[in-house]
Amino acid sequence: MALLRAILTRGFRPAIRLPAVGTMAVFHVETGGCEGCAMEVAALDGAAYALPRAGVRFVTTPRLADVLLVTGPLTRAMAPVLEAAWHGMPDRKALVAVGACAIDGGPFGENYAVLGGLEGRAPLDASIPGCPPSPAAIVAGLAGLLGASEPSSSA
Amino acid sequence: MTVRADADPLPRTAAGLIRRGEAEAGAWRFRLDEDGWRDLVEALRHDPLPFVTLWADGRDVHALFLDGGERPLVASVEPYGGRYLGLSPVRPAAAPFERCMQDLWGFSAMDARDSRPWLDQGLWSATWPLSDRPGPVAWPPEPPDFRPVPADHMILGSGPADGGHHAPGHLRLALDGGGAVGQAEWRLGYAHRGVAARLSGLDAAGAVRLAGRVVAGASVAHQSALCRAIENATGQAADIATTRSRVLLAEIERAATHLLDLSRVARPAGAGALAAECERVREAILERCGRVGGHRLLMDCVGPGGAGDPAMDDAAASMAVGVADLLESARDRLVRCRAWPGLEMRVAGVGVLEQLVARTLGVGGVVGRASGREEDLRRLVPGYRREWLDSGVRRGGDVAARIDLRLAELGSVARVLRAAAGSAPAVARTLPGVGEGVGCAEGPRGAVWYWVRILDGRVAAAHVCDPALAQASALEHVLVGAQAEDVAMIVRSFGLSAAGADL
Ligand code: SF4
């Protein structure tokens, strides 16, 4: 956890080298937004932030995931897909909404094709606001999930 | 049948046939009756008039063409009993639009090449949700209607949730015994949010804010194209400072999205160093945009004309200098990473998009240019000079060409940023507003088009066209014959965003 905090307090540094800490396996589902939030999550997964080195791994199947990370408003077409991913995860799992869309629909509230955000629809373990939130804010939100108390200046 | 003596002789060109209709918006949108539309479709069989996009507004069906390759020209027809003569037999690029219109409005294209649903998977709250009379939904939904595949092929599906950081889409491959793709088909619609419907009722500023959130990798392009459409509708052109900052922001976005798409293709191609370098340079650009411009992805940075924003113009100029510096200093390292010998072997000759297929299916942008098409809307956008737009790289239409063209365009972005920052751009001519307008932008992945109808300062109807739709249909051709393990790399080399295809 100290290492996650290190990313936050030092701000952006290209390719910060971090030894592994306790791991968190994250399955990311984009449920129909503009991809802005998804791109900021991707940045964390890439060389610029190298979050996997801090112990947060992105996995390609829900069966290996501890955290279901959702970006974008929940479209009606993605609702069954998201539900299947959630049920495919082992127990002791967490649900995280990243960005305005995933939280309450943001610019894409309920209509014929969209249900809206997850808030009020599913118990959220963390919501990370922003349109989109910065990678640093997403890291802060994930760190909060591990029970760390973050210095408020870092959010 | 009697022929009126004073009737005009039937024009031979498709554009001439459109202009024979009744002018409804300036001198660029004309209403045709059923016979006029049929004559037009017939003429398009031989006339090369470039087709851009097709949409409906609840009452009419509209088709946008580019007369002479540069002047927007729209033909409108009112469907009779919900049916109109489809354009896809003569313009295959119209096929996905016809399918979307069927799903959203229930207008069916007669003689269409394909009439299966495209967006609607049966999970919406209504069928034909945008029509006057939306219909009930059948439960359970119909299973997907995929094209038949040969019995000895193995089916391999991926998405819509594969753990990747991209918009949802399902790709279904039929593989032969040797692991080569025999048939590829998308199932899309997962990311459909009803953007066109949401634009209706918004004021100009609100509509542009939403347009910035249609496709994040082309946020500036969508904002600018809508602004130009609104300015075209209201007869209020952008001033010099706004024209210039739109060019600067568009080029910064081009660099950031090219770097993203390069890293996305470099990883599956095994070029980790190239991917990492692209990710670092991109992050440095985004960080600067966030710090100086107030938004890392340049959302809310473009506003409709008349409402000039001097603070944003200064920020754009300052970001432009910084981004040009970053790109110039990164250039040598990017070239070295590209020269890694293993990479050429993986990408050369793979995923070839033939020029003819690109043209037939309406694929432009980097992908079209990498296939040898001279397609760059920047020549129509105020603020650019033709001499800025060259790249001079090979155009074999394969993954390698798409990588090389993006790298070359990073160099030209730096040049345009320096040239544009110091020039006084020509601004658009102000035309009298007729309440309707068309606007375009050359986004990082290709042409973005908007059509709007404005009533009392608010959007009454709108259409959005993103390059992703054409790319998705082109990929179904390109993937045939590819090895299964190359599929992810080929798809990413297109920079396809399902968010733009589904809207
Ligand atoms: S919250 Fe904003 S950036 Fe994120 S997906 Fe929604 S519109 Fe895009």
Side-chain angles (χ1 to χ4, degrees):
Chain A
M1 274 330 299
L3 289 155
L4 278 178
R5 200 171 303 130
I7 301 186
L8 300 171
T9 46
R10 284 157 69 194
F12 165 67
R13 288 265 192 90
I16 303 161
R17 292 196 166 272
L18 296 158
V21 291
T23 59
M24 183 199 286
V26 179
F27 185 66
H28 173 200
V29 180
E30 159 84 17
T31 48
C34 76
E35 255 183 351
C37 292
M39 278 158 58
E40 296 295 43
V41 173
L44 288 174
D45 199 6
Y49 288 90
L51 195 57
R53 293 208 200 119
V56 178
R57 281 181 307 125
F58 290 93
V59 293
T60 53
T61 161
R63 283 193 298 280
L64 301 176
D66 313 311
V67 176
L68 184 58
L69 186 157
V70 181
T71 56
L74 185 60
T75 60
R76 294 176 195 270
M78 278 303 281
V81 179
L82 189 70
E83 200 175 318
W86 179 250
H87 290 305
M89 288 167 68
D91 284 341
R92 293 188 54 79
K93 50 196 172 186
L95 180 64
V96 178
V98 172
C101 284
I103 297 172
D104 62 11
F108 301 110
E110 183 173 348
N111 72 357
Y112 64 88
V114 172
L115 288 168
L118 294 176
E119 211 172 55
R121 228 174 268 284
L124 286 171
D125 296 284
S127 354
I128 304 170
C131 184
S134 66
I138 299 172
V139 174
L142 290 176
L145 209 59
L146 290 178
S149 58
E150 289 307 317
S152 54
S153 61
S154 65
Chain B
M1 191 173 90
T2 55
V3 177
R4 274 191 300 144
D6 60 344
D8 293 339
L10 199 64
R12 268 178 312 206
T13 66
L17 283 170
I18 296 175
R19 289 213 177 79
R20 257 166 61 103
E22 181 190 336
E24 291 202 330
W28 55 267
R29 188 169 73 73
F30 298 86
R31 168 173 304 281
L32 303 181
D33 58 17
E34 228 179 321
D35 290 339
W37 182 268
R38 180 171 309 111
D39 291 342
L40 170 64
V41 174
E42 203 41 51
L44 286 170
R45 238 173 253 290
H46 310 289
D47 189 315
L49 182 68
F51 164 83
V52 180
T53 177
L54 183 72
W55 72 96
D57 64 3
R59 189 183 108 165
D60 298 315
V61 168
H62 310 279
L64 170 63
F65 300 89
L66 265 191
D67 186 17
E70 43 189 54
R71 282 177 304 281
L73 184 62
V74 178
S76 308
V77 70
E78 185 172 355
Y80 182 74
R83 288 144 64 87
Y84 64 101
L85 191 59
L87 291 182
S88 54
V90 292
R91 289 292 181 275
F97 297 105
E98 288 173 353
R99 291 171 68 180
C100 290
M101 274 162 54
Q102 164 79 51
D103 290 349
L104 293 172
W105 282 280
F107 289 156
S108 55
M110 293 179 282
D111 296 351
R113 285 163 67 103
D114 196 335
S115 58
R116 293 170 304 151
W118 176 278
L119 289 173
D120 186 356
Q121 302 183 1
L123 292 166
W124 293 347
S125 58
T127 53
W128 310 344
L130 304 187
S131 80
D132 295 343
R133 268 162 299 166
V137 186
W139 192 261
E142 292 273 310
D145 181 11
F146 290 114
R147 286 185 205 113
V149 299
D152 59 345
H153 279 48
M154 194 183 88
I155 302 295
L156 184 71
S158 64
D162 56 6
H165 312 297
H166 46 70
H170 176 78
L171 181 60
R172 177 180 148 108
L173 304 172
L175 304 179
D176 68 15
V181 176
Q183 185 180 295
E185 189 169 2
W186 290 104
R187 176 158 162 86
L188 295 177
Y190 297 98
H192 178 75
R193 291 145 282 161
V195 170
R198 289 177 195 275
L199 284 168
S200 293
L202 298 178
D203 63 9
V208 175
R209 245 193 325 276
L210 186 64
R213 287 164 176 80
V214 171
V215 184
S219 177
V220 172
H222 277 263
Q223 294 173 71
S224 306
L226 176 56
C227 282
R228 291 180 187 122
I230 292 173
E231 287 154 8
N232 184 208
T234 56
Q236 196 169 41
D239 59 14
I240 290 188
T242 308
T243 304
R244 185 194 294 123
S245 43
R246 281 183 198 165
V247 168
L248 298 176
L249 294 169
E251 294 305 308
I252 294 170
E253 173 172 271
R254 191 176 323 281
T257 299
H258 276 6
L259 287 163
L260 173 74
D261 290 343
L262 280 167
S263 72
R264 279 184 176 172
V265 62
R267 286 229 183 270
L274 179 60
E277 189 60 19
C278 291
E279 283 158 0
R280 284 193 209 100
V281 179
R282 173 172 179 267
E283 180 56 35
I285 293 177
L286 264 48
E287 189 272 338
R288 180 169 278 272
C289 292
R291 187 158 39 80
V292 181
H295 201 290
R296 284 166 52 91
L297 302 178
L298 300 176
M299 293 172 181
D300 309 326
C301 287
V302 181
D309 181 355
M312 194 60 231
D313 296 337
D314 291 346
S318 146
M319 282 188 278
V321 175
V323 170
D325 289 347
L326 277 168
L327 290 172
E328 279 161 8
S329 63
R331 191 177 159 270
D332 288 348
R333 249 196 84 77
L334 287 170
V335 169
R336 279 217 307 284
C337 292
R338 167 68 180 93
W340 180 65
L343 178 58
E344 188 60 18
M345 214 172 64
R346 284 283 280 124
V347 296
V350 176
V352 176
L353 172 65
E354 301 292 346
Q355 187 181 345
L356 181 66
V357 178
R359 180 148 24 94
T360 312
L361 296 180
V363 180
V366 172
V367 178
R369 291 195 284 280
S371 293
R373 286 194 80 197
E374 294 297 329
E375 269 297 307
D376 195 330
L377 277 186
R378 285 179 286 178
R379 66 198 156 76
L380 306 186
V381 169
Y384 283 95
R385 304 231 176 108
R386 258 164 220 247
E387 62 268 25
W388 295 347
L389 312 174
D390 74 87
S391 59
V393 288
R394 70 170 171 188
R395 282 136 191 263
D398 54 0
V399 174
R402 295 191 276 277
I403 291 178
D404 288 343
L405 193 61
R406 286 197 179 91
L407 285 169
E409 290 196 3
L410 288 177
S412 64
V413 164
R415 284 198 305 279
V416 176
L417 285 175
R418 298 237 187 263
S423 78
V427 299
R429 272 186 310 138
T430 317
L431 300 168
V434 293
E436 254 181 58
V438 172
C440 68
E442 177 71 23
R445 290 154 179 162
V448 173
W449 287 90
Y450 275 74
W451 166 85
V452 281
R453 179 178 289 146
I454 304 276
L455 262 181
D456 302 327
R458 295 192 173 266
V459 175
H463 171 62
V464 185
C465 175
D466 184 90
L469 198 55
Q471 290 179 348
S473 31
L475 268 166
E476 293 186 348
H477 293 261
V478 169
L479 289 174
V480 172
Q483 286 298 308
E485 65 265 24
D486 289 337
V487 166
M489 179 179 81
I490 295 169
V491 171
R492 289 179 199 179
S493 75
F494 271 59
L496 175 74
S497 165
D502 288 351
L503 298 172

